[in-house]
Each structure stands twice: as structure tokens, then as C-alpha cells.
Amino acid sequence: MTVTIVGSQLGDEGKGALVDLWGGNADIVVRYQGGDNAGHTVVENGEEYKLSLVPSGAVRGKIGILGNGCVVNPRTLFDELDTLRDRGLDPDVRVACRAHVIMPYHRVLDGIEEEEKSDDDLEAGTTGRGIGPTYEDKVGRRGIRVGDLLDPDVLRDRLEYVVPQKRAVVEDVFGMDAGEEFDVESLHEEFVAIGRRLEEEGMTVNAGDFLGTRLDAGENLLFEGAQGTSIDIDHGIYPYVTSSNPTAGGASTGTGVGPTVVGRGEVVGVVKAYLSRVGTGPLPTELDGDDEELADYIREKGGEFGTVTGRPRRIGWLDVPMLRHAARVSGFTGIAVNHLDVLAGMDTVKLGDAYKLDGERMETMPATTERWADCDPILKEFDPWPEVDWSAVAGEGYDALPAAARTYLDYLSDEVGAPIYAVGVGPDRAETVELVDPFERDA
Ligand code: IMP
């Protein structure tokens, strides 16, 4: 069967903790979108591993697949693999031949475009990893795929077509100097060598075929979504979005496993008990102005600083219309709520229950970001809950959570229309209250 883990908000919901928790029952952990913009920290036997591309399951001895929907920077991939090997691990990571390659010029173009857009406050606040420009080339049918790296002649043809165009954009459109990132010969040399290494290490795979065969043999797949629903290219707050589909549909298109197969499995939405946001754009429930101190408290306590960029994250109350939208787009069968402990010990706990837009109450997000910016949150106040011994609570189970916290969670679950599968009450793997293991729900 399959279990798909999806971010319900703006990324950084703590998906890694759930991948950790349930990955033990998976044979293969598969990423289906995004690239090295997704920071996650894995702690195994007291060792901390910071990864941005390699699926976290690879640290735990699972096969890790980067599906065709991913964009792969081979330099990052090999750096992460080399680091893991230096630390005594033996990760088994395979990359879809159909996945697109982040080339050095994509990263340069990401930086130039963001700089240009900043004049009009239109920058997305990207991670600068070349994600958007690589997906642009994929859709523009001028991308370089992992499979192309295995054939030097094909790679040369592709580079000779695309690189002069990129060079012209930098020089003629932006009036800047194009550096060695735009040199066909050196790119060809570097990426032929990369292709050779991928081949020698048996790292390339026909993802849909491979995964389908494994499923037929009765194996379990865990689809590890990166980023979150509200920064999905189709369903998010465009243009302040990433360039892929973190929502559950991406698990099918980004791996070659059919939507009926993904849909017969479990789809778990991961929710952070409040909101955090890296990057720009509106945020109706943002804690700013008079609430700045509250935001600082949550930011420090929750460690809300970007894993990839180190940037302090913006903080807001939980936005329930955003969650209703996420549940509908991905068809959640369950939710996992993280960071509940971070809200403990406050004087008050609120959430954005609905929006007020043009005098009307709205239960879900409007389709344009500009209208979303016009929304005023209708806040609902909850009794606060105290600090408790969270490790003990995790051991005892859901009923051991403070009553006020359970009221908050039960309300959420009702509004989203999906049962609670897990509650995160601390950063350690053991600090999760597990109600349901989705792999155990196989019909
Ligand atoms: P890009 O994915 O680097 O193109 O960035 C586009 C937008 O997505 C920016 O607002 C980023 O801050 C955001 N973003 C990308 N990856 C993540 C993530 O893993 N967590 C949270 N935000 C992200």
C-alpha cells in the first residue's frame, strides 16, 4: 500500500517527524516533487543529519527514490551522499531517469530573477536553489533530464540548444555578464562525469516501473511530500509559491504510480499548530504589530528559523480556512498535528476560524492571493493549556494531553473533516502521541 505525507500549510510543518515515525513500516521512501529547497533534519542514534534532497528514509536504511517530479541538483545529491557515507552510513538512493536536472545556470537565473522582481515587491523569497528556472525549462521542453546525462551525445545536443538561450537572457535581457555556468564545454564535461558516476553506482531508475513492481510484490511505499499546500504552484498563493505540486496529486504524476493506487492508500495532512512562513506575500493571521512579542516567543520556542536558509520565519495563528482548502485538494484520510507543545503556557490561544471578506464570512481561501490579502481573520479563542511533561504524555497517549489542548485538536479535526493520527509534542522522535499508524489501516 501507499501512505502519502502532505504539508497542509506553507511548508515546515514537521513532516520529517511523521516520515520518521511511519517510515519504519515502509520499504521505500519516495520524494515526488521539489529539490534541494526542502530542508529536513533527521536524528538517528543520537546523530543529527541535515538533508535537503536525499529522502530522510535513506538515513534509516530504506531505499530512497527521487521521483520524476523532482528536480535534482547532482552536486547537492553527491555532497549529501558523501557526507552520509563519511559518517558510516550506506544510503541507497536512486533517481528517476525522467527527473529534471538543476544546472548551474538555473541557480544563477533564480538569483537574477528574484533581484529583478524585488523592485516591484514581487519576489517569492525563493531559496535560491534554481528550483523555479528548472521547472520552467521542464515545461518549456528545453530541460535536461537525468537520463540525458547517461548519453554524452544527447547531452551535448541538449546543451547546445539551451545554453545559448540562457546566455542571451542574462546578457541581452538583464544586461549582465554570463559566467562559466553558461559554458557548453565545461558543463558537458562536468555533467558527463556526473552521468558516469550515477551509472557506476546504479543510481538511475525507471521510477514508475520500479515502484509498480515493488507494489505488486506487496511492498509499502511512503510518499514524502516537501513544502506545503499553500505554496503549491496550482493550489497555493500564486505567485508566492514553489514551482511544483506538494499536494497529493503530485505523488502520482511525480512518481508514475497511478492516482487510483495513491487514492486507495492513506493521505495524511501534516499541520503545524500555528503558522510559519518563509518568504514574502500576505498572511492574514500573522502575528505582527502589537502581537510581535507573541510571535517572538513562538519563533524562539518553536525554533522557527529556515533549515535551508537560516531566515527567521514569520509567525501567525493557525489558519483553518487554509486547512479546509488543503483537506479538499489532497483528500486527507487523516491529519497529524505538530508543535502542540510550543503553544503551551501562553495566556491565550487563538486560531483563524474563518475570514471576513467584503462583509461576508468565508470558510475557505479565495482563489487569488490579492483577495486573500483582503481577508480579515475571524479569530476564535481557546482556553490555554499548561506546560506538562510532554515525554510522559507521549508515552501515555491522547487522553493524557491537557484537556484544553484536546479541545483545540478535536475542533481542528472536525473542521478539517479528518481524524487525528498523531500529535507532535516535542522535537524527539519519541515525543509523538500516535493514535493511528496509517500502514496498519490497509483494507
Ligand atoms: P523555491 O522553492 O526556492 O522556488 O521558493 C519559492 C517559495 O517557496 C519561497 O517562498 C520559499 O521560501 C518557499 N519554500 C521553498 N521550499 C520551502 C520549504 O521547504 N519550506 C518552506 N518554504 C519553502
Side-chain angles (χ1 to χ4, degrees):
M1 73 172 293
T2 70
V3 171
T4 305
I5 305 283
V6 175
S8 305
Q9 295 149 321
L10 295 148
D12 309 313
E13 298 91 352
K15 296 175 286 294
L18 283 317
V19 172
D20 254 18
L21 184 68
W22 294 321
N25 274 338
D27 298 289
I28 307 177
V29 178
V30 190
R31 280 195 56 186
Y32 54 88
Q33 42 75 229
D36 55 345
N37 49 349
H40 41 267
T41 307
V42 190
V43 182
E44 176 77 351
N45 296 329
E47 290 275 309
E48 189 175 278
Y49 302 92
K50 284 201 182 300
L51 301 170
S52 59
L53 181 60
V54 166
S56 40
V59 173
R60 309 216 183 284
K62 308 287 171 184
I63 297 177
I65 302 280
L66 296 171
N68 55 276
C70 294
V71 284
V72 180
N73 185 330
R75 292 178 180 173
T76 311
L77 179 63
F78 289 139
D79 276 356
E80 291 189 358
L81 290 176
D82 290 344
T83 305
L84 293 177
R85 285 185 185 128
D86 286 349
R87 293 174 65 180
L89 298 180
D90 183 22
D92 181 351
V93 176
R94 309 188 197 179
V95 191
C97 288
R98 292 184 172 95
H100 280 249
V101 181
I102 300 180
M103 302 296 287
Y105 49 80
H106 289 130
R107 286 181 69 127
V108 175
L109 286 163
D110 198 352
I112 294 178
E113 262 217 69
E114 282 282 285
E115 186 60 40
E116 278 297 303
K117 283 182 169 177
S118 67
D119 293 344
D120 302 307
D121 281 341
L122 278 175
E123 78 272 30
T126 74
T127 57
R129 303 292 158 105
I131 306 293
T134 308
Y135 279 115
E136 269 178 54
D137 279 356
K138 168 179 177 171
V139 178
R141 295 169 299 218
R142 66 182 93 83
I144 311 262
R145 305 203 300 178
V146 169
D148 300 335
L149 307 186
L150 309 181
D151 184 329
D153 294 334
V154 171
L155 179 61
R156 178 170 292 283
D157 287 348
R158 298 265 194 271
L159 289 171
E160 281 177 354
Y161 175 71
V162 70
V163 174
Q165 291 184 18
K166 299 294 166 192
R167 176 180 279 280
V169 169
V170 172
E171 291 174 347
D172 303 341
V173 177
F174 295 114
M176 299 170 85
D177 287 334
E180 59 176 5
E181 294 88 351
F182 298 78
D183 180 71
V184 171
E185 283 313 317
S186 62
L187 287 170
H188 189 258
E189 192 179 326
E190 179 181 354
F191 283 82
V192 164
I194 286 168
R196 217 177 292 126
R197 180 167 172 190
L198 287 170
E199 208 161 32
E200 278 165 12
E201 298 192 17
M203 286 179 64
T204 56
V205 70
N206 182 346
D209 207 36
F210 177 80
L211 296 173
T213 307
R214 293 302 187 105
L215 274 170
D216 289 347
E219 294 195 358
N220 283 335
L221 308 188
L222 183 80
F223 292 118
E224 176 180 354
Q227 291 88 40
T229 305
S230 281
I231 54 173
D232 181 289
I233 184 81
D234 286 286
H235 304 289
I237 47 170
Y238 193 90
Y240 306 103
V241 292
T242 193
S243 301
S244 65
N245 289 121
T247 45
S252 176
T253 53
T255 63
V257 173
T260 48
V261 178
V262 174
R264 273 198 298 275
E266 291 278 326
V267 178
V268 186
V270 184
V271 176
K272 188 185 273 187
Y274 49 89
L275 272 195
S276 70
R277 168 80 170 124
V278 188
T280 42
L283 200 61
T285 60
E286 183 161 21
L287 288 164
D288 51 6
D290 290 347
D291 291 324
E292 198 67 63
E293 259 181 48
L294 216 46
D296 287 343
Y297 174 82
I298 295 175
R299 185 180 298 113
E300 289 299 326
K301 197 167 168 202
E304 296 297 348
F305 299 88
T307 320
V308 172
T309 59
R311 290 180 287 188
R313 297 178 182 145
R314 297 158 68 194
I315 304 293
W317 292 122
L318 189 70
D319 185 319
V320 179
M322 182 186 279
L323 297 181
R324 293 188 190 103
H325 171 63
R328 185 172 288 148
V329 172
S330 287
F332 292 157
T333 54
I335 57 171
V337 183
N338 273 327
H339 281 43
L340 191 77
D341 55 305
V342 174
L343 295 184
M346 307 214 311
D347 294 336
T348 178
V349 174
K350 296 180 189 166
L351 51 70
D353 196 27
Y355 306 130
K356 192 153 212 181
L357 184 63
D358 302 334
E360 302 276 325
R361 182 182 167 97
M362 288 191 70
E363 301 286 329
T364 189
M365 293 173 86
T368 72
T369 306
E370 292 67 30
R371 294 296 279 159
W372 193 52
D374 292 337
C375 289
D376 287 320
I378 300 175
L379 296 175
K380 183 175 169 65
E381 196 161 354
F382 285 75
D383 287 340
W385 51 90
E387 283 290 2
V388 293
D389 179 346
W390 295 106
S391 302
V393 166
E396 287 169 49
Y398 193 74
D399 291 340
L401 287 167
R406 273 184 280 131
T407 305
Y408 183 80
L409 292 170
D410 292 344
Y411 183 81
L412 258 186
S413 171
D414 279 350
E415 291 304 307
V416 169
I420 294 182
Y421 282 6
V423 183
V425 293
D428 277 12
R429 215 186 336 167
E431 291 174 316
T432 302
V433 180
E434 188 183 23
L435 290 87
V436 174
D437 178 338
F439 277 116
E440 308 272 302
R441 285 174 63 94
D442 201 1

